């Protein structure tokens, strides 16, 4: 008997290996029996030693390679399979649908420590205070250590697991310091099976719309059948309460529940919401975790220790012992689409896994994607609408401010120079009125940094990235921000991370007349600070809280900002799209969008959909508490038909019109797309490779072929990018062509030394 092994190499095949003649001579050999399907083995591959997964057994007669040329496996690393049949079926489906090598698919599915061959024991580190230690053993100046010591003392003689202590706010560095001082010790214990899930807090009363949705989800669960649900609820309509009450039945039946969220920033608050309702073992999964915690989470899911799993998109690829329900929150969000390696969409994979396990899958959103609306029309998703907010809360009305009719507010510097704040007097007046009423204001600007362009007024020179077709963004740190976020000012490319100091004179003409044009969140925050937090211009000083990647990149920074906002004091929040995704700010009653026109002017055909989703999601942050909210949209195009349709008719009316336009134009979701990207050292080489790829297409392919053309950013990170788009009216037809064509394309002579990638169901091109 031989074994077939999938290896993490970019080849569309598996590899045959034989058992060694004397397995007892192998170091660390598990046993003399055949490695089971789904176990890891260490094998020689060329000059490398790789870890692969056994995917099949076969006889010598079934192998295409003579027995004397087959290599033996070096080690079998697992006594029992680490991937069951359902996970291998999932991996094979991903490989077929996304036309990606099976070995590389498995490398994406498995945590890095598993790929490296590390053991999978379920041992966990605990910490406890040594018996002879008292409070007198601390020095008076070690206040932080004493605080951490007191937190550990609350857990008694047995102490607590490291996971629990870290969730409570303890720091690993302090634990190690206390250990070095001989005050505490660590010990290892096997993980115990979790207790049955119990309610920690009584459910809220549901309205009729919510009850219908909960009943339908529970009915699918109890019937053990797959059903996909689109929970289409306006912002603040109580979608989370529907999740919680549907979960209760699933958890009480001893099943696991997976909740997907689009951003890491949402995981802590989501965990707090679910932990307040259920006494259960909750596991967080996201890219911010280190490799050890990721492995522990993976094991907890696989063995059933994890009862509620909250994670970002990669969590949908984890193995589960007894999965009973999948919830995809903010299902429209573009973050669910992986943009490199295996380019899967987490919502699509969630629906497939629901079908696999015969369980319900809930896609919750206030702004459903056109793809999901099309699935509803095709009877592939059951739609339940939530059109009212709990209690007397009403959706915040949207009002347009015509920026053509009034100039933007001017402010003076200390030198007396006037500058434009980018905000109209109407907007500033509404902000001041809201703050004086004791409420909070959210201002949305989806552009971080200080300004998007640095320009020379004398000769027109612009600061461009030397490696990309993009301007360098100006990052200017004020004195207050230097302490919190950045130590200096600089120019940065947001595409390749190139950085440079801001020049004092123009490199072309030597002029000192350099001007930062445009506005990012930092500049907007600075302008607002001059108006609302300056003793010379404001009687009351209101805090300006900036929320973007620059201010939340440090550990626990987002949690600290969130706590500060939830104190409820009057404040102005300035944020990018980070603030639009499911956050609950009960004291925000005014949302302002000072630059609403950008998204409707993009060349990307999906841009109006994504812009509308973002605007509605941001608008939904207003009036979520007891007070009414409102939304002000500052625009230079108040007559824009799309903008008026959104404001007057709401998102669903807007989306239905876009869906009809897509049908007339033959664009997704009324067609199916595959995008081939090619990158290389010259544009000529990348374009030629795509032309040769077109020549390989079958003569009767019946596809629309668009390209080759330059990518939206033709030069990125000193590499040139071209692309080719294939459109088909039938999904099966597209995949039939790809299955015959894609592998030969990668072996084209003109593609040598180039990088070719295939993106099935791309979200933009």
């Amino acid at each position: 008997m031989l074994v077939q092994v999938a290896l993490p190499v970019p080849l569309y095949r598996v590899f045959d290996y034989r058992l060694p003649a004397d397995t007892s001579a192998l170091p660390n050999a598990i046993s003399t029996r055949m490695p089971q399907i789904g176990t890891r083995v260490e094998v020689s591959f060329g000059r490398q030693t790789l870890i692969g997964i056994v995917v099949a057994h076969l006889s010598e007669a079934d192998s295409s390679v003579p027995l004397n040329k087959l290599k033996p496996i070096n080690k079998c690393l697992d006594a029992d399979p680490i991937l069951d049949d359902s996970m291998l079926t999932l991996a094979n489906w991903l490989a077929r649908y996304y036309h990606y090598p099976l070995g590389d698919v498995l490398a994406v599915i498995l945590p890095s420590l598993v790929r490296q061959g590390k053991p999978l024991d379920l041992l966990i580190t605990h910490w406890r205070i040594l018996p002879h230690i008292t409070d007198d053993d601390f020095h008076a100046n070690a206040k932080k250590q004493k605080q951490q010591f007191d937190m550990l003392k609350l857990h008694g003689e047995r102490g607590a697991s490291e996971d629990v202590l870290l969730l409570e706010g303890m720091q690993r560095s302090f634990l190690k310091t206390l250990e070095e001082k001989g005050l505490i010790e660590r010990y290892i214990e096997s993980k115990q099976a979790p207790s049955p899930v119990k309610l920690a807090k009584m459910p809220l009363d549901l309205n009729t719309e919510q009850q219908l949705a909960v009943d339908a989800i529970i009915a699918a669960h109890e019937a053990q059948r797959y059903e996909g649900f689109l929970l289409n609820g306006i912002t603040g309509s109580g979608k989370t309460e529907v999740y919680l009450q549907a979960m209760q039945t699933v958890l009480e039946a001893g099943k696991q529940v997976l909740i997907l969220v689009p951003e890491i920033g949402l995981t802590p608050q989501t965990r707090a919401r679910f932990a307040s309702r259920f006494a259960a073992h909750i596991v967080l999964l996201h890219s911010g975790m280190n490799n050890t915690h990721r492995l522990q989470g993976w094991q907890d899911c696989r063995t059933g220790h994890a009862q509620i799993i909250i994670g970002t998109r990669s969590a949908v690829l984890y193995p589960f012992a007894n999965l009973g329900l999948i919830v995809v929150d903010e299902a429209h969000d573009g973050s669910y689409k992986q943009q490199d390696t295996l380019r899967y969409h987490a919502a699509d994979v969630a629906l497939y896994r629901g079908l696999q396990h015969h369980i319900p899958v809930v896609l919750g959103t206030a702004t459903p994607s056109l793809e999901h609306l099309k699935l509803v029309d095709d009877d592939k998703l059951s739609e339940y609408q939530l059109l009212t907010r709990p209690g007397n809360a009403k959706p915040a009305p949207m009002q347009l401010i015509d920026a053509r009719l009034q100039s933007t507010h001017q402010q003076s510097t200390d030198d007396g120079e006037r500058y434009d704040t980018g905000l109209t007097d109407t907007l500033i007046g509404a902000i001041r009125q809201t703050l004086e009423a004791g409420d909070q204001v959210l201002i949305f600007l989806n552009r971080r940094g200080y300004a998007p362009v640095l320009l020379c007024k004398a000769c027109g020179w612009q600061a461009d990235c030397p490696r990309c077709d993009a301007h360098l963004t100006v990052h200017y740190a004020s004195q207050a921000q230097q302490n919190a976020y950045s130590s200096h000012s600089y120019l940065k490319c947001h595409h390749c991370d190139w950085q440079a100091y801001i020049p004092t004179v123009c490199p072309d003409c030597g002029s000192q007349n350099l001007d930062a044009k445009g506005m990012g969140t930092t500049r907007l925050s600075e302008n607002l600070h001059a108006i609302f937090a300056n003793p010379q211009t404001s009687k009351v000083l209101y805090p300006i809280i900036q929320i973007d990647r620059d201010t939340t990149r440090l550990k626990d920074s987002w949690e600290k900002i969130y706590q500060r906002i939830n104190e409820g004091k009057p404040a102005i929040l300035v944020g990018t799209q980070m603030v639009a995704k499911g956050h609950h700010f009960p004291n925000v009653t005014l949302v302002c969008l000072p630059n609403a026109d950008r998204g409707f002017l993009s060349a990307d055909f999906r841009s109006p959909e994504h812009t509308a989703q973002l605007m509605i999601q941001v608008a939904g942050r207003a009036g979520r508490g007891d007070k009414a909210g409102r939304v002000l949209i500052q625009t230079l195009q108040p007559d824009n038909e799309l903008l008026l349709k959104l404001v007057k008719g709401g998102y669903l009316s807007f989306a239905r019109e876009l869906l009809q336009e897509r049908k007339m134009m033959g664009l997704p979701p009324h067609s199916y797309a595959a995008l081939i990207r090619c990158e290389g050292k010259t544009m000529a080489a990348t374009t030629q490779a795509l032309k040769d790829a077109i020549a390989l297409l079958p003569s009767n392919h019946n596809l629309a072929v668009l390209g080759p053309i330059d990518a939206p950013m033709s030069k990125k990170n000193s590499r040139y990018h071209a692309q080719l788009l294939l459109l088909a009216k039938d999904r099966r037809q597209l995949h039939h062509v790809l299955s015959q064509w894609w592998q030969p394309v990668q072996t084209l002579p003109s593609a040598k030394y180039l990088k070719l990638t295939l993106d099935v169901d791309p979200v933009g091109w």
Side-chain angles (χ1 to χ4, degrees), residues 217 220 225-231 258 260 316 323-328 346-356 358-364 381-382:
I217 298 167
R225 72 169 187 270
Y226 160 72
E227 188 170 353
F229 296 94
L230 177 62
L231 189 61
L258 170 65
L260 297 180
V316 78
L323 193 59
L325 173 66
I326 302 176
V327 174
V328 184
D348 295 340
V349 178
L351 292 171
Y352 177 81
R353 296 207 73 176
L355 181 65
Q356 253 193 317
H358 309 292
I359 61 174
V361 178
V362 181
L363 308 181
L381 286 178
S382 301

Side-chain angles (χ1 to χ4, degrees), residues 41-60:
V41 291
E42 181 190 285
V43 298
S44 298
F45 185 80
R47 297 181 180 180
Q48 307 175 74
T49 299
L50 299 177
I51 306 294
I53 298 291
V54 176
V55 294
H57 296 155
L58 70 164
S59 65
E60 295 176 18

Side-chain angles (χ1 to χ4, degrees), residues 459-488:
C459 71
W461 169 86
Q462 298 179 47
D464 292 331
C465 176
R467 304 194 297 193
C468 303
D469 284 336
H471 300 309
L472 291 171
T473 299
V474 181
H475 283 260
Y476 172 74
S478 63
Q479 192 64 40
Q481 291 173 320
Q482 285 181 12
N483 299 328
Y485 316 128
S486 176
S487 59
H488 63 280

